[in-house]
Amino acid sequence: MNAAPQTTIARSELILGGQKSGKSRRAELLARQWLQAAPAHRALLLATGQPWDDEMRARIARHQRERAERVPGLQTVEEPRDLAHALACHSTPQTLIVVDCLTLWLTNWLMPADPQDVEQKQPLAADWQAQAAHFFEALTHAPGPVVLVGNEIGLGVIPLGREVRAFVDALGALNQRAAAACQRVTLMAAGLPLALKDTP
C-alpha cells in the first residue's frame, strides 16, 4: 500500500468540498503529518456538529471512532458556537487546530435545531456577525496552524424557500471571507485536492 503523499502545512488552510468529497480526510491527513513531524506537536479538532437527532448522534459517534483509528493523537473539543474563544484558548505554536466544520457552525447560529434556540433565532442571527468578526480576528492572531473545513453547497439550483436561500447566501459569504483570510484554499472533489490558492 502506497503512503499518502506529503503535504506542507500552511499557516492557515480552508478546505472546501461537497458531501463525502474527502475534505475531512484531508484535514486529518494534515493533522497526522503535523503530529509525526515533531514529538512536541499537538493536534486538536474543534467540532461544531450537535447531536440534535438519532441519526446525527450515530453519525458523530461513527466519525469519532473512525478519527480515533486514523489519527490517534487528534484530540477533540466540542464547540458549536464560540469558535473565536476556543481558537484563542487552544491555539499554540505547537498545536494544529482543525475546525470541522464552518457550515455547521453557521447552521448553529442561523438555523438552530434546538427548540430553545429557535425561540432566540432573531437575536442569534444578530449576534452572528459579531461572532464571525471575533473568529476571523482570532484566526489572524492564532500562533499555530489552523485548518478550516467547510461545505461548498452553492453549485446546484437555486433552492426553494426564503430561509434556505438566505442560508446559502450567508454560507457563500462566509466561505469567501475564510478564503480571503487563509494562506491556502483547497477544493476537494472525489477525494482529490485542487489548489485554488496557495500564498507563499
Side-chain angles (χ1 to χ4, degrees):
M1 183 176 175
N2 294 331
Q6 292 293 302
T7 304
T8 58
I9 307 295
R11 186 192 67 77
S12 55
E13 179 169 348
L14 170 64
I15 304 172
L16 289 173
Q19 192 77 358
K20 294 299 177 185
S21 61
K23 55 191 182 298
S24 292
R25 289 290 182 94
R26 176 178 170 84
E28 290 174 3
L29 169 65
L30 295 174
R32 186 165 64 243
Q33 290 179 188
W34 176 258
L35 289 169
Q36 292 171 349
H41 282 181
R42 295 178 59 245
L44 178 71
L45 172 75
L46 296 179
T48 59
Q50 292 183 286
W52 55 71
D53 58 27
D54 290 341
E55 187 276 336
M56 193 63 176
R57 277 187 285 275
R59 177 182 289 263
I60 289 172
R62 185 179 74 252
H63 287 178
Q64 290 171 339
R65 288 193 305 270
E66 292 173 353
R67 272 199 311 269
E69 293 174 2
R70 290 190 295 260
V71 194
L74 180 60
Q75 300 173 311
T76 301
V77 170
E78 295 183 8
E79 183 46 69
R81 286 221 186 103
D82 198 352
L83 284 183
H85 178 73
L87 185 57
C89 284
H90 295 290
S91 182
T92 75
Q94 300 299 319
T95 304
L96 180 143
I97 302 287
V98 176
V99 176
D100 196 352
C101 71
L102 295 180
T103 311
L104 287 176
W105 177 48
L106 179 65
T107 302
N108 295 335
W109 280 96
L110 299 188
M111 302 181 77
D114 188 309
Q116 292 180 341
D117 289 340
V118 170
E119 294 177 5
Q120 299 296 319
K121 196 169 183 179
Q122 292 298 335
L124 285 174
D127 291 342
W128 157 249
Q129 294 297 335
Q131 174 61 210
H134 291 319
F135 172 72
F136 284 108
E137 183 74 12
L139 177 65
T140 299
H141 293 99
V146 181
V147 178
L148 307 178
V149 179
N151 290 80
E152 174 50 72
I153 65 172
L155 298 176
V157 298
I158 297 173
L160 296 174
R162 180 177 57 84
E163 284 193 337
V164 178
R165 286 195 298 272
F167 179 82
V168 172
D169 289 348
L171 181 59
L174 174 60
N175 287 344
Q176 289 190 44
R177 191 169 182 182
C182 285
Q183 178 184 0
R184 177 184 293 152
V185 180
T186 303
L187 178 66
M188 297 297 299
L192 300 174
L194 174 65
L196 301 182
K197 174 185 176 182
D198 201 350
T199 307

